């Protein structure tokens, strides 16, 4: 099923083809296309609605938010006060953002490097037990986090007796690969299988070792897959919530999601402005990253399901 | 085909020393493979298999944070099934959650994918914005929904009270998250918002892969668009649909973030799923044993789904051959 990856790409990526299709399209069909676009508007509005509300609320002053008479969908005065508050009065940029970046980068590097090795073995090498390992990876991929968070506290305490990791971001760097690695392996396996064995054999003939062939030949050819794996691993660890909520209590060791949820929501009066500013500032890095590499996300999503 | 490649591969493999040759005969030609899978296998055993066994042990004990635990057999499970009303609500919620979210995601996902298929211009923008709910951090975007459903500031209630024709009808305002009968459906709504992109993009990929000539042949036979959808697109999409339904069911069953951020399982424990209930029991109330037992109920469901998935994958390959 090598074709599964190309399915994500349309026949119409070529602008010349699009042009030709458009010129040959009769008028009645063009009108139908307009309805088609109109029908998509509710879907796009639905998808972007909460992000829009988050953004618009984050640039309102507290008085404006409290004024229930005016429309909540628009901001009349614009202010950056909420973001200033976030920077000066909370640990958002100082600790939580930095922690999230460190944890995401570290667990991505760990799980992608481990995943490359394992996926390569699964795709190419023949040894006893390799099929069992493949099924085990698939099963671990499907084990949800809620099944593991309680016993993992014990595992972290056990490691903590040797090296202090409790209540630091190290406990997250260690545990995130548990759900990242199986996913990365699964994703890369498909990419590695599409690389012809012949290229690798040439590398062996030229005197490459196995690792050399992997590094010089296979990895460059599987680059799209690896970018895809890196993006997904990074996004998944950036968005992770449960482990971070359970394993971290110290304010300065928290990640964005948990920091915002546990430190900014206090008492009965919510400061919606700064809360939404935090939500926006925590979401926007991922959205920007995603907008640059959208095609990789799409191919990763579809190849994960269609295989 | 496979055999030919292997022999060529064997030819270029460096000659082995006798010990190595014996090992290869026992464990297969590529014994260095064990080295390649070692790190991943270590992580899986130390941080997935071992904790899983630990969870099973906890569930059979009266483990409580900070105290010595004792083996008590299946008492926890007995208690949960026979005496715990909240657990019954949790099961009911889980079924409702899985059912409604999958049905709506399939229907809406199919509709959006069919529309996207025809939208050649703005394709990147449209796909990009439709996918955002899936990549944005769930905990943070759910806080946005939390504001949208807040009793005082609710945007939905504002529309119901201030926009024609809604205020004329006199419906609302609703306590979207405060009403025990409504809160679960509000959570399901947010879950649909977050999971829909996956369905849209996957179904779209499936639709794109259907060869054009099938539709052309149907045109010649005088088929309507309706016929083409039900007789060509749906049957060919069936394997993909089955797989995304199973995937989505797993991740919906195990959902934690949305419910926890919106309601923390409340009001009056009416929105708990396995994950949130096990968190509240195991972490907030320190009853580790009970919490572990609750989350373990996910496991049999999971196993059934995995078996289903594996069978599907197998059937697919045999069909290919």
């Amino acid at each position: 099923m090598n074709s599964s990856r190309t399915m994500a790409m349309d026949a119409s990526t070529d602008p010349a083809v699009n042009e030709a299709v458009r010129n040959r399209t009769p008028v009645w069909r063009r009108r139908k296309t307009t309805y088609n676009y109109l029908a998509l508007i509710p879907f796009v509005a639905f998808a972007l609605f909460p992000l829009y509300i988050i953004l618009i609320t984050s640039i309102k002053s507290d008085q404006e938010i409290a004024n229930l008479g005016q429309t909540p969908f628009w901001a009349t005065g614009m202010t950056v006060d909420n973001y200033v508050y976030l920077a000066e009065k909370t640990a958002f940029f100082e600790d939580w953002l930095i922690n999230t970046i460190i944890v995401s980068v570290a667990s991505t590097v760990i799980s992608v490097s481990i995943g490359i090795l394992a996926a390569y073995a699964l795709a190419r090498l023949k040894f006893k037990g390799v099929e069992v390992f493949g099924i085990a990876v698939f099963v671990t991929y499907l084990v949800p986090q809620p099944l593991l968070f309680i016993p993992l506290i014990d595992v972290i305490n056990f490691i903590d007796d040797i090296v202090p990791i409790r209540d630091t971001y190290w406990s997250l760097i260690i545990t995130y690969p548990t759900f990242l690695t199986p996913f990365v392996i699964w994703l890369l396996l498909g990419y590695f299988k599409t690389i012809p064995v012949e290229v690798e054999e040439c590398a062996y003939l030229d005197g490459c070792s196995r690792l050399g062939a992997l590094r010089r030949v296979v990895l460059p050819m599987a680059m799209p897959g690896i970018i895809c794996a890196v993006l997904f691993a990074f996004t998944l660890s950036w968005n992770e919530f449960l482990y971070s909520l359970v394993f971290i209590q110290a304010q300065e060791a928290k990640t964005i999601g948990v920091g915002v949820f546990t430190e900014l929501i206090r008492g009965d009066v919510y400061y919606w402005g700064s809360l939404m500013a935090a939500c926006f500032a925590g979401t926007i890095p991922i959205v920007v990253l995603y907008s640059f590499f959208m095609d990789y996300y799409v191919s990763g999503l579809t190849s994960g399901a269609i295989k | 085909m496979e055999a030919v490649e292997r022999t060529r591969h064997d030819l270029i493999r460096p000659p082995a020393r006798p010990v190595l040759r014996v090992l290869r005969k026992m464990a297969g030609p590529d014994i260095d493979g064990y080295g390649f899978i070692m790190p991943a296998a270590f992580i899986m055993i130390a941080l997935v298999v071992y904790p899983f066994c630990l969870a099973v042990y906890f569930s059979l004990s009266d483990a409580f944070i900070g105290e010595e635990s004792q083996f008590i057999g299946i008492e926890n499970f007995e208690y949960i099934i026979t005496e715990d009303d909240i657990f019954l609500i949790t099961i009911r919620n889980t079924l409702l959650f899985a059912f409604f979210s999958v049905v709506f995601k399939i229907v809406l996902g199919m509709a959006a994918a069919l529309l996207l298929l025809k939208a050649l211009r703005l394709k990147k923008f449209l796909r990009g914005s439709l996918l955002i709910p899936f990549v944005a951090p769930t905990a943070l975007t759910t806080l946005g929904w939390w504001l949208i459903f807040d009793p005082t500031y609710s945007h939905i209630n504002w529309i119901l009270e201030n926009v024609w024709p809604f205020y004329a009808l006199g419906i609302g305002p609703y306590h979207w998250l405060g009403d025990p009968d409504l809160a679960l459906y509000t959570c399901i709504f947010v879950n649909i918002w977050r999971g829909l992109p996956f369905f849209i993009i996957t179904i779209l990929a499936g639709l794109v892969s259907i060869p054009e000539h099938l539709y052309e042949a149907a045109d010649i036979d005088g088929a309507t668009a309706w016929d083409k959808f039900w007789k060509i697109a749906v049957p060919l999409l069936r394997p993909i649909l089955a797989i995304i339904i199973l995937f989505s069911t797993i991740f919906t069953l195990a959902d934690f973030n949305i419910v926890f951020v919106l309601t923390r399982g409340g009001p009056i424990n009416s929105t708990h799923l396995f994950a949130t209930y096990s968190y509240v029991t195991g972490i907030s109330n320190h009853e580790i044993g009970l919490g572990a037992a609750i989350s373990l109920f996910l496991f049999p469901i999971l196993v059934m789904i995995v078996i289903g998935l594996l069978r599907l994958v197998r059937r697919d390959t045999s069909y290919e051959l």
Side-chain angles (χ1 to χ4, degrees):
Chain A
M1 293 252 321
N2 293 351
S3 58
S4 64
R5 192 145 309 95
T6 49
M7 287 200 305
M9 285 179 274
D10 267 16
S12 56
T13 35
D14 184 0
V17 174
N18 278 346
E19 193 59 44
V21 168
R22 208 173 303 144
N23 292 340
R24 275 180 26 207
T25 318
V27 177
W28 61 269
R29 184 163 275 179
R30 251 182 258 169
R31 190 164 303 143
K32 222 171 154 188
T33 319
T34 317
Y35 293 134
N36 198 61
Y37 281 101
L38 287 177
L40 273 167
I41 291 176
F43 284 100
V44 176
F46 178 50
L48 298 180
F49 180 58
L51 285 177
Y52 172 75
I53 296 298
I54 288 173
L55 173 64
I56 209 84
T57 313
S58 77
I59 56 169
K60 285 187 198 177
S61 64
D62 284 340
Q63 292 92 316
E64 201 184 336
I65 295 170
N67 179 5
L68 296 175
Q70 88 183 66
T71 163
F73 294 96
W74 193 245
T76 41
M78 267 205 224
T79 169
V80 290
D81 286 356
N82 296 315
Y83 291 91
V84 174
Y85 173 88
L86 217 56
E88 286 176 354
K89 298 276 162 51
T90 71
F92 186 89
F93 293 106
E94 214 176 307
D95 291 330
W96 305 338
L97 184 68
I98 304 287
N99 290 340
T100 309
I101 293 172
I102 294 174
V103 171
S104 305
V105 170
S107 47
T108 301
V109 169
I110 292 174
S111 47
V112 172
S113 10
I114 291 176
I116 286 174
L117 292 176
Y120 178 75
L122 276 176
R124 279 280 193 282
L125 307 183
K126 295 252 152 102
F127 54 95
K128 254 192 197 130
V130 69
E131 293 90 0
V132 179
F133 178 70
I135 293 172
V137 169
F138 184 63
V139 173
T140 4
Y141 171 43
L142 296 176
V143 171
Q145 284 154 274
L147 212 60
L148 297 176
F149 71 93
I150 291 178
L152 273 176
I153 299 175
D154 232 52
V155 176
I156 287 172
N157 286 342
F158 174 75
I159 303 173
D160 189 64
D161 291 340
I162 307 160
V163 254
I165 58 160
R166 193 161 52 192
D167 237 353
T168 67
Y169 54 66
W170 286 105
S171 57
L172 303 182
I173 295 177
I174 288 173
T175 48
Y176 282 6
T178 55
F179 59 87
L180 297 178
T181 317
F183 178 75
V184 169
I185 296 175
W186 197 243
L187 190 73
L188 286 179
L189 181 59
Y191 280 91
F192 284 164
K193 275 187 177 162
T194 60
I195 298 170
V197 186
E198 288 78 5
V199 208
E200 229 175 300
E201 289 171 351
C202 292
Y204 291 135
L205 284 175
D206 289 343
C208 268
S209 65
R210 183 93 81 199
L211 276 175
L214 176 61
R215 193 166 62 86
R216 284 168 215 268
V217 179
V218 180
L219 286 193
M221 290 183 77
M223 220 42 193
I226 289 166
I227 296 175
C228 195
V230 166
L231 288 171
F232 266 90
F234 188 83
T235 310
L236 284 173
S237 18
W238 188 284
N239 298 355
E240 207 287 329
F241 185 70
L242 178 59
Y243 284 179
S244 178
L245 179 73
V246 175
F247 301 151
I248 309 276
Q249 264 76 47
Q251 219 245 86
E252 68 280 359
K254 282 179 177 165
T255 53
I256 288 179
V258 174
V260 171
F261 184 70
T262 56
E263 303 287 335
L264 295 187
I265 303 174
R266 292 206 148 156
D268 289 333
V269 184
Y270 306 129
Y271 294 94
W272 289 111
S274 50
L275 186 62
M276 290 301 124
C279 290
F280 191 73
T283 305
I284 208 68
I286 284 295
V287 172
V288 169
L289 183 74
Y290 154 73
S291 64
F292 280 118
F293 296 98
M294 207 184 85
D295 293 336
Y296 291 102
Y297 276 95
V298 172
S299 80
L301 264 182
T302 45
S303 77
I306 310 173
K307 226 181 341 212
Chain B
M1 190 62 196
E2 186 76 6
V4 177
E5 277 175 9
R6 289 314 304 177
T7 31
R8 281 198 7 239
H9 199 151
D10 284 339
L11 278 177
I12 55 165
R13 190 177 278 123
R17 263 172 266 152
V19 188
L20 214 59
R21 214 176 295 151
V22 174
L23 271 176
R24 270 187 187 158
K25 203 166 258 170
M26 274 163 54
D30 302 311
I31 41 171
D32 52 346
Y34 292 108
F36 280 80
I37 63 165
M38 189 93 80
F42 175 74
I43 284 192
M44 280 158 54
I45 290 169
L47 296 170
V48 179
V49 177
Y50 170 68
F52 180 76
C53 298
L54 214 55
V56 174
Y57 168 74
F58 281 152
S59 71
L60 299 172
S61 76
D62 59 354
F64 196 90
I65 286 184
E67 286 176 25
E68 283 293 304
S69 61
Q70 262 179 352
F71 187 80
I72 54 166
I74 55 164
E75 257 177 57
N76 285 326
F77 292 98
E78 246 175 328
Y79 167 78
I80 292 170
I81 293 173
T82 54
E83 286 174 52
D84 193 352
D85 293 338
I86 303 176
F87 186 73
L88 288 180
I89 299 177
T90 306
I91 290 184
R92 185 204 65 150
N93 289 349
T94 307
L95 294 175
L96 286 173
F97 220 93
F99 176 75
F100 280 115
S101 61
V102 165
V103 167
F104 277 98
K105 282 180 210 168
I106 286 280
V107 173
L108 294 174
M110 182 66 90
L114 285 170
L115 292 171
L116 273 180
L117 190 68
K118 302 259 170 60
L120 295 178
R121 267 176 287 181
L122 289 176
K123 200 174 67 176
K124 240 186 144 145
F125 165 78
L126 288 169
R127 264 192 205 181
S129 40
L130 286 174
L131 245 177
I132 280 184
F134 202 72
V135 291
T138 319
L140 299 178
T141 50
T142 307
L143 280 173
W145 282 112
W146 194 50
L147 168 62
I148 292 166
F149 290 119
D150 181 84
T152 317
Y153 298 100
S154 173
H155 296 69
I156 315 270
N157 284 347
W158 191 88
I159 292 179
L160 292 182
E161 284 168 352
N162 293 294
V163 178
W164 190 88
F166 299 108
Y167 71 84
L169 291 169
I171 42 174
Y174 293 105
H175 281 277
W176 299 103
L177 296 166
D179 182 345
D181 294 327
L182 198 59
L184 181 72
Y185 296 95
T186 309
C187 294
I188 293 176
F189 178 82
V190 177
N191 181 280
I192 293 169
W193 172 80
R194 136 105 205 164
L196 186 59
F198 176 63
F199 279 67
I200 298 178
I201 293 299
T202 322
I203 294 176
L204 179 63
L207 285 174
V208 169
S209 75
I210 297 175
E212 194 64 35
H213 64 81
L214 292 181
Y215 293 119
E216 284 160 9
D219 278 334
I220 294 170
D221 293 342
T224 60
W226 187 254
D227 288 334
K228 282 188 276 182
F229 175 70
W230 285 106
K231 307 242 165 88
I232 297 175
V234 171
L236 285 174
L237 283 178
R238 198 165 287 150
I240 293 173
L241 287 179
I243 286 180
I244 53 176
I245 288 173
L246 291 174
F247 264 92
S248 158
T249 314
I250 292 178
F251 293 113
T252 305
L253 289 181
D255 189 31
F256 176 83
N257 299 2
I258 291 172
V259 170
F260 195 72
V261 169
L262 286 177
T263 65
R264 300 197 184 209
I268 348 175
N269 295 312
S270 61
T271 54
H272 270 309
L273 298 180
F274 288 114
T276 53
Y277 189 40
S278 124
Y279 176 89
V280 168
T281 316
I283 308 293
S284 310
N285 300 340
H286 309 306
E287 302 208 49
I288 297 180
L290 218 50
I294 292 165
S295 66
L296 273 181
F297 273 93
L298 272 172
F299 191 67
I301 307 174
L302 199 78
V303 169
M304 282 190 288
I305 294 176
V306 170
I307 290 172
L309 260 177
L310 285 175
R311 274 173 101 181
L312 256 177
V313 173
R314 276 222 190 103
R315 194 186 308 158
D316 256 16
T317 33
S318 61
Y319 174 75
E320 224 180 351
L321 295 169

